[in-house]
Amino acid sequence: MGFNTELLHGAKEGDPATGATLTPVYQSSAFYQPSAEQHEKLFNNKANGYSYTRINNPTIAAFEERMTVLEKGLASVACSSGMAAITDTLLNIVGAGNEIVTSNSLYGGTIDLFHDLEAFGITTRFVDGADLGEVESAINDKTRAIFAETIGNPKLDVTDIPVWAKLAHDHGLPLIIDNTVATAFLVKPLTLGADIVINSTSKYVNGNSSAISGVITDSGKFKWDAGRYPGLKPYAKFGPFAFTAKLRNGLFRNMGACMAPQTAFYNLVGMETLGLRMERACDNAAQLAAYLDLLPGVNVNYPGLASSPWYDTATRLLNGRYGAIFTLRVGSKDKAFAIMNSLKIPMIVSNIGDTKTLIVHPSSTLSAHSTEQEKKDAAVYDDMIRVSVGIEDIEDLIHDFEAAIVGAGVGES
């Protein structure tokens, strides 16, 4: 099946009892059981079914199944947010005294999370993702995971997933990829060697900023060494489901950062048009970025421009498009704010992946808690605007941005 056909028909959907074409919202916190014996089996992983929505729910399960098909994985676990998904993934395999190696071009909130983990005795080593030698030199006998974003937010560097995967596997480590900015429409990291994929489904999967959520998708292919990952040893009996089984029976269940059934439903509705929205948004971004890059005093960063250091990698790995996000530098923070305040179509919103074009000043918001060095590493500058391009008519976007940039005096001597 092609992308859109599989998206709609690759997983069982609907309600056979009523004929509803979409799994309905099971807005129930708990589910009764026909017998005490059945209840016991549920709690001991000896039967399928639902007992408590913090653990699972039919609407959430339908969403998880669709995400598994979308990312070509083995199993998915839906969480209350993208940050919850990252936290659960890492703490499922990393503990006190362990280390994580990650690209330094991450979303500001993720950088903050890695610093929070220091209180639990977990060290993160931030490296330049473009320097594989630096990545490898950061690995030691305490390392338990390698982490990166497919497309860095907002640096927009493109991770060479097959190369990173080989490096991780050569050292017996799993590669965890945050695929939020790219989505499975552009690339499926699990097919390129990654072991676990995370999506903040509040973005493109949902598509209209109506719900906060995240999801973890496991490939089931990584061989968990019992000596290095002793917590997974009791779950070896689940075979390729070991990682997911440990997560569901531990952190995910006990920390309670579960997805709400209503959120799962919003995501099921939104993701049906993921391919169509991504196609339009990526095409709009490519045209808008190319046009603005020609304006005096404007410096555009977009993987689809030949001037991007990551153009070749993006061309090789992505699905013929380069994402729907770009950044532009305009000379000063004052000019950046002036442009943002005068734009008529884009909304000033700290999100990406909406049907509408969204803009934000990362330095004063998303990276507000980052150090100056961390901002520099992530390519966050005071004169920079991040643009998440929507599906509006491209002529209107071009006219609006050009008028705002000219009006702000960008490029004037």
Side-chain angles (χ1 to χ4, degrees):
M1 294 183 185
F3 183 88
N4 291 300
T5 305
E6 186 173 52
L7 187 61
L8 294 171
H9 302 288
K12 290 181 290 185
E13 187 56 87
D15 184 357
T18 64
T21 58
L22 197 65
T23 302
V25 181
Y26 285 85
Q27 195 62 43
S28 176
S29 61
F31 301 83
Y32 82 91
Q33 307 302 319
S35 68
E37 289 80 6
Q38 172 67 11
H39 213 182
E40 180 184 39
K41 289 178 181 178
L42 281 178
F43 272 76
N44 288 276
N45 300 310
K46 294 181 179 179
N48 292 323
Y50 305 96
S51 62
Y52 199 59
T53 287
R54 173 163 56 81
I55 301 170
N56 211 345
N57 172 287
T59 315
I60 299 168
F63 172 64
E64 290 172 339
E65 184 177 354
R66 275 184 120 168
M67 285 302 304
T68 300
V69 171
L70 186 67
E71 288 286 4
K72 299 295 185 185
L74 178 73
S76 294
V77 177
C79 303
S80 59
S81 68
M83 296 309 302
I86 295 174
T87 302
D88 276 359
T89 298
L90 293 173
L91 293 184
N92 200 42
I93 55 175
V94 181
N98 294 158
E99 296 186 1
I100 302 162
V101 173
T102 184
S103 164
N104 59 17
S105 59
L106 303 177
Y107 162 64
T110 305
I111 293 175
D112 291 344
L113 169 64
F114 281 125
H115 287 315
D116 289 336
L117 294 179
E118 294 169 5
F120 299 91
I122 298 170
T123 300
T124 300
R125 297 187 179 275
F126 295 92
V127 297
D128 180 356
D131 186 342
L132 269 295
E134 183 177 334
V135 178
E136 186 163 27
S137 66
I139 298 172
N140 57 50
D141 60 0
K142 298 179 181 178
T143 309
R144 293 295 179 269
I146 310 293
F147 183 94
E149 295 174 354
T150 307
I151 301 177
N153 177 16
K155 190 173 184 177
L156 302 179
D157 52 325
V158 181
T159 299
D160 197 334
I161 296 172
V163 174
W164 275 61
K166 183 180 185 306
L167 177 62
H169 297 159
D170 285 346
H171 290 271
L173 299 167
L175 176 61
I176 302 168
I177 292 290
D178 184 331
N179 203 34
T180 300
V181 174
T183 78
F185 178 77
L186 293 182
V187 63
K188 295 177 175 62
L190 298 183
T191 68
L192 299 180
D195 301 291
I196 298 167
V197 165
I198 296 166
N199 281 277
S200 174
T201 44
S202 319
K203 279 63 174 180
Y204 293 102
V205 171
N206 173 270
N208 52 47
S209 299
S210 65
I212 296 290
S213 59
V215 67
I216 305 159
T217 303
D218 179 26
S219 70
K221 295 179 181 178
F222 188 76
K223 306 302 180 183
W224 301 99
D225 177 72
R228 182 173 285 180
Y229 303 95
L232 280 157
K233 187 176 181 180
Y235 298 93
K237 61 186 177 182
F238 292 99
F241 289 93
F243 174 88
T244 302
K246 179 179 184 296
L247 183 60
R248 283 200 176 278
N249 283 276
L251 279 166
F252 172 75
R253 180 189 68 193
N254 298 331
M255 292 184 72
C258 59
M259 182 179 289
Q262 189 72 42
T263 295
F265 182 79
Y266 288 149
N267 290 343
L268 284 168
V269 173
M271 69 188 301
E272 292 198 343
T273 59
L274 175 63
L276 301 178
R277 288 185 284 104
M278 283 298 291
E279 183 176 352
R280 173 62 175 252
C282 290
D283 289 349
N284 274 355
Q287 294 182 64
L288 185 57
Y291 187 89
L292 297 182
D293 196 43
L294 298 176
L295 297 182
V298 177
N299 183 353
V300 177
N301 175 28
Y302 179 62
L305 294 177
S307 58
S308 168
W310 303 283
Y311 176 78
D312 291 341
T313 303
T315 300
R316 175 163 46 87
L317 295 185
L318 305 184
N319 186 29
R321 290 180 171 83
Y322 299 87
I325 297 176
F326 66 83
T327 62
L328 60 155
R329 297 184 63 185
V330 294
S332 72
K333 179 180 178 180
D334 288 343
K335 289 181 179 179
F337 275 29
I339 291 169
M340 293 174 67
N341 290 335
S342 63
L343 283 166
K344 301 295 189 296
I345 296 174
M347 296 180 174
I348 301 174
V349 174
S350 56
N351 196 21
I352 61 173
D354 202 300
T355 51
K356 298 169 283 295
T357 297
L358 311 177
I359 53 174
V360 73
H361 183 254
S363 182
S364 62
T365 57
L366 307 175
S367 298
H369 302 118
S370 297
T371 65
E372 290 305 312
Q373 185 60 50
E374 286 171 341
K375 287 182 180 181
K376 181 179 179 181
D377 291 339
V380 174
Y381 306 100
D382 269 353
D383 68 334
M384 188 180 81
I385 302 168
R386 186 189 71 184
V387 183
S388 172
V389 184
I391 62 174
E392 299 95 344
D393 292 306
I394 186 61
E395 297 82 5
D396 295 327
L397 289 173
I398 288 175
H399 175 77
D400 194 18
F401 271 90
E402 183 174 28
I405 290 169
V406 172
V410 176
E412 294 180 357
S413 55

